Amino acid sequence: MSLPHAHSGDVITLKALGAGLPQAISTAIVRTPHLELIRSVLHKGRTVPEHKVEGDLTIQCIEGKLAVQAHGMTTMLLPGELLFLAGGVSHSIAADEDSSALLTLVRVTAK
Amino acid sequence: MSLPHAHSGDVITLKALGAGLPQAISTAIVRTPHLELIRSVLHKGRTVPEHKVEGDLTIQCIEGKLAVQAHGMTTMLLPGELLFLAGGVSHSIAADEDSSALLTLVRVTAK
């Protein structure tokens, strides 16, 4: 399932994948020199190990339940909730349930 | 209703305002040197006149119905839909119904 990135003016649906979630995979939605949008699918029990990115980011839970570790605490993210993380902040993500989320990342160009 | 901007690690709810929407106003959620998030409230019949911003942006409809004019066409945005617009693209927004949306803007620093 290799989809082309969206172009300016394109509409992207963020609706829950629902019954299709167990078979779904993460997909890149938008990628420009300054902005990246990813529909991230994380199945129950899977984790994104601790890492950091240079730019500011948001994690918006669309469905499921995500546990985000950052700033020395664990934050549970439910559908309709968005977590803001500043660039350079180490974080990890664990899926308590089959989950999908919109990741929005500011791409910081090389200094 | 002047709320402080969110800090890294804060959770923001994007749930529909529902019965509170007619009295709601737009609020800034996050503002960093690189990223700006705004919960934009646009009541039925109101418009944001044609304008452009330097950085890439997304408009995510949370509730209501928004008509976005850009690239010479009108795009209807319903809840759960997100429109991507590249930086520098002129656009206007009209509310067909009382609406709220998450605006995500990449802030481009001065060259």
Side-chain angles (χ1 to χ4, degrees):
Chain A
M1 189 170 72
S2 177
L3 299 171
H5 292 152
H7 297 102
S8 180
D10 285 352
V11 173
I12 296 120
T13 178
L14 299 176
K15 291 192 173 73
L17 298 169
L21 183 56
Q23 291 76 41
I25 59 169
S26 298
T27 50
I29 300 172
V30 169
R31 187 181 172 93
T32 77
H34 302 292
L35 179 67
E36 191 166 3
L37 300 186
I38 299 165
R39 172 80 171 239
S40 174
V41 172
L42 205 59
H43 293 119
K44 182 176 179 172
R46 303 301 294 269
T47 62
V48 178
E50 186 171 349
H51 68 291
K52 57 187 171 182
V53 292
E54 197 175 355
D56 296 333
L57 73 149
T58 64
I59 304 169
Q60 179 184 335
C61 183
I62 296 171
E63 63 199 312
K65 188 178 182 185
L66 294 168
V68 183
Q69 282 245 348
H71 295 291
M73 59 185 180
T74 302
T75 302
M76 303 307 300
L77 273 189
L78 294 170
E81 294 179 338
L82 174 147
L83 178 70
F84 162 59
L85 289 174
V89 171
S90 290
H91 60 280
S92 64
I93 310 173
D96 262 26
E97 302 171 7
D98 284 357
S99 302
S100 78
L102 176 68
L103 306 184
T104 302
L105 301 103
V106 176
R107 301 186 66 199
V108 179
T109 50
K111 295 182 190 79
Chain B
M1 190 170 72
S2 178
L3 299 172
H5 291 153
H7 297 103
S8 181
D10 285 351
V11 173
I12 297 121
T13 178
L14 299 176
K15 292 193 173 72
L17 298 169
L21 184 57
Q23 290 76 40
I25 59 170
S26 298
T27 50
I29 301 172
V30 168
R31 187 179 172 94
T32 77
H34 301 293
L35 178 67
E36 191 166 3
L37 300 186
I38 299 165
R39 172 80 170 238
S40 174
V41 172
L42 205 59
H43 294 120
K44 182 176 178 171
R46 304 300 294 269
T47 61
V48 178
E50 185 171 349
H51 68 291
K52 56 187 171 181
V53 291
E54 198 176 353
D56 295 335
L57 73 148
T58 63
I59 305 168
Q60 180 184 335
C61 183
I62 295 170
E63 63 198 313
K65 188 177 181 184
L66 295 168
V68 182
Q69 281 244 349
H71 295 291
M73 60 184 180
T74 302
T75 301
M76 303 308 298
L77 274 189
L78 294 170
E81 294 180 339
L82 175 150
L83 179 71
F84 162 60
L85 289 174
V89 171
S90 290
H91 60 281
S92 64
I93 309 174
D96 261 27
E97 303 172 6
D98 284 356
S99 301
S100 78
L102 175 68
L103 305 185
T104 302
L105 300 103
V106 175
R107 300 187 65 200
V108 179
T109 51
K111 295 181 192 77

